[in-house]
Amino acid sequence: MLAGDGSLDPQGPVAETMAGLWWLMLGLGVVVYAVFAFLLVRGLFRRRDATDSPPGGPAPKRFDWWVLGGGVVMPVVVLTVVLGGTVWALREVPSSAPQGALVVEIVGHQWWWEVRYPEEGITTANELHIPVGRPVAVELTSADVIHSFWVPALAGKLDALPDGTNTLVLEADEPGEHRSMCAEFCGLQHAEMGLIVVAEPTEQFASWVVNQQEQAEGPADEAGRRGEDVFVGTDCASCHTVRGTSADGTEGPDLTHVASRPTIGAGAAPNAPEDLTAWVTDPHTIKDGVLMPAADLDDEELEAVVAYLESLE
Ligand code: CUA
């Protein structure tokens, strides 16, 4: 678990507004529950007295203030407060890009997230880097089915649709890493469709952007260079892009800086050499049903490709 991972531990203004509404509703619910539990217990132990209906005869007609108070007045008051809080929260949470917002386009795929920064001209996958203290407008779409983008610590959830754009605004107050999971069932590996949000100080974010904008330095050693040749000469290049090479596929994640990411397979495994080797050999052993096929490489080629991918910092 990463720090500040839940919607009740909000790490930014949007999530704070929503958590505030939740606590208001919980508080009202507790008060109503306590009042009725008290009245119920009191009623159970109350002794019948002379004002109750006499044996054999009809009860005397009298106006029941309890019914009016508990059945009409209290629900009206409680629901009006909840409605007011909800309307307030809806107005507080921006639904379009505020002034000065960082715009990020996120595209849901079965089963990974494509993350594009149009202004900065960079594309990555399964990680969202954001600067602390600046609103971020996430423009959500999908390449296939409906997915749902949700970073509980920073904002509510919003669908990523194949036929329209939904804008989710979020903001982080403090540096930190937050987990995000697809929140709409989207097929076999819905549960392995994760994304890491890295909120970082402005300068650190700027230097991340600069590094992403550069082409990867590429392999410094013989094995890596051999790996690059194998990569661009095989099916890898028809699905993946590595800027600065002839690999320009768009079916799978952009791998220009894949070695700088913490996980592979949208959080299915850590980005470690042995996991990467297993993934390239046959990704289905890690993530069954994934659309990437097993690589048709011999041992020497496999080792070279992994060395190459590891060099893409
Ligand atoms: Cu994508 Cu569930």
Side-chain angles (χ1 to χ4, degrees), residues 24-152:
L24 172 74
M25 289 163 78
L26 179 74
L28 287 170
V30 167
V31 170
V32 170
Y33 179 84
V35 167
F36 277 86
F38 170 74
L39 291 176
L40 183 67
V41 171
R42 183 168 166 271
L44 283 174
F45 289 99
R46 197 171 68 133
R47 285 207 318 223
R48 295 173 74 86
D49 59 32
T51 60
D52 289 335
S53 54
K61 284 248 188 293
R62 29 172 212 162
F63 189 74
D64 199 330
W65 290 100
W66 283 112
V67 172
L68 181 71
V72 179
V73 176
M74 198 176 68
V76 167
V77 169
V78 168
L79 294 178
T80 303
V81 173
V82 171
L83 177 68
T86 306
V87 170
W88 167 78
L90 282 172
R91 295 173 70 106
E92 283 291 297
V93 174
S95 57
S96 58
Q99 197 98 46
L102 170 72
V103 176
V104 185
E105 298 168 353
I106 295 192
V107 186
H109 293 256
Q110 283 174 316
W111 293 277
W112 59 283
W113 299 100
E114 180 182 349
V115 182
R116 302 194 290 235
Y117 295 72
E119 287 281 304
E120 291 73 16
I122 55 181
T123 300
T124 181
N126 308 318
E127 59 169 357
L128 172 63
H129 284 247
I130 59 172
V132 163
R134 181 176 169 194
V136 180
V138 179
E139 296 185 345
L140 291 163
T141 55
S142 167
D144 36 51
V145 300
I146 298 175
H147 304 272
S148 180
F149 184 76
W150 189 29
V151 192

Side-chain angles (χ1 to χ4, degrees), residues 91-282:
R91 295 173 70 106
E92 283 291 297
V93 174
S95 57
S96 58
Q99 197 98 46
L102 170 72
V103 176
V104 185
E105 298 168 353
I106 295 192
V107 186
H109 293 256
Q110 283 174 316
W111 293 277
W112 59 283
W113 299 100
E114 180 182 349
V115 182
R116 302 194 290 235
Y117 295 72
E119 287 281 304
E120 291 73 16
I122 55 181
T123 300
T124 181
N126 308 318
E127 59 169 357
L128 172 63
H129 284 247
I130 59 172
V132 163
R134 181 176 169 194
V136 180
V138 179
E139 296 185 345
L140 291 163
T141 55
S142 167
D144 36 51
V145 300
I146 298 175
H147 304 272
S148 180
F149 184 76
W150 189 29
V151 192
L154 299 180
K157 61 177 86 147
L158 195 62
D159 280 355
L161 305 172
D163 57 356
T165 303
N166 281 338
T167 302
L168 178 78
V169 178
L170 50 82
E171 185 177 336
D173 284 335
E174 300 285 337
E177 295 195 357
H178 308 294
R179 211 164 47 127
S180 164
M181 279 310 261
C182 181
E184 177 85 33
F185 181 72
C186 55
L188 188 60
Q189 287 294 352
H190 157 70
E192 293 283 11
M193 188 168 167
L195 173 144
I196 296 276
V197 180
V198 182
E200 52 201 356
T202 308
E203 318 78 66
Q204 214 172 312
F205 172 73
S207 64
W208 177 81
V209 169
V210 168
N211 183 57
Q212 295 286 314
Q213 283 170 332
E214 286 166 5
Q215 291 173 4
E217 265 178 37
D221 59 355
E222 193 56 42
R225 278 192 292 275
R226 164 83 179 121
E228 181 173 345
D229 290 342
V230 174
F231 187 91
V232 299
T234 59
D235 288 345
C236 307
S238 56
C239 287
H240 295 286
T241 290
V242 176
R243 274 183 290 122
T245 73
S246 61
D248 58 358
T250 53
E251 287 294 307
D254 185 305
L255 299 180
T256 308
H257 294 279
V258 65
S260 68
R261 297 182 204 151
T263 68
I264 52 175
N271 192 359
E274 58 276 17
D275 297 283
L276 193 55
T277 305
W279 180 267
V280 177
T281 307
D282 185 1

Side-chain angles (χ1 to χ4, degrees), residues 292-307:
M292 173 174 158
D296 186 17
L297 303 172
D298 64 29
D299 285 353
E300 180 270 328
E301 291 170 326
L302 180 67
E303 203 176 310
V305 164
V306 171

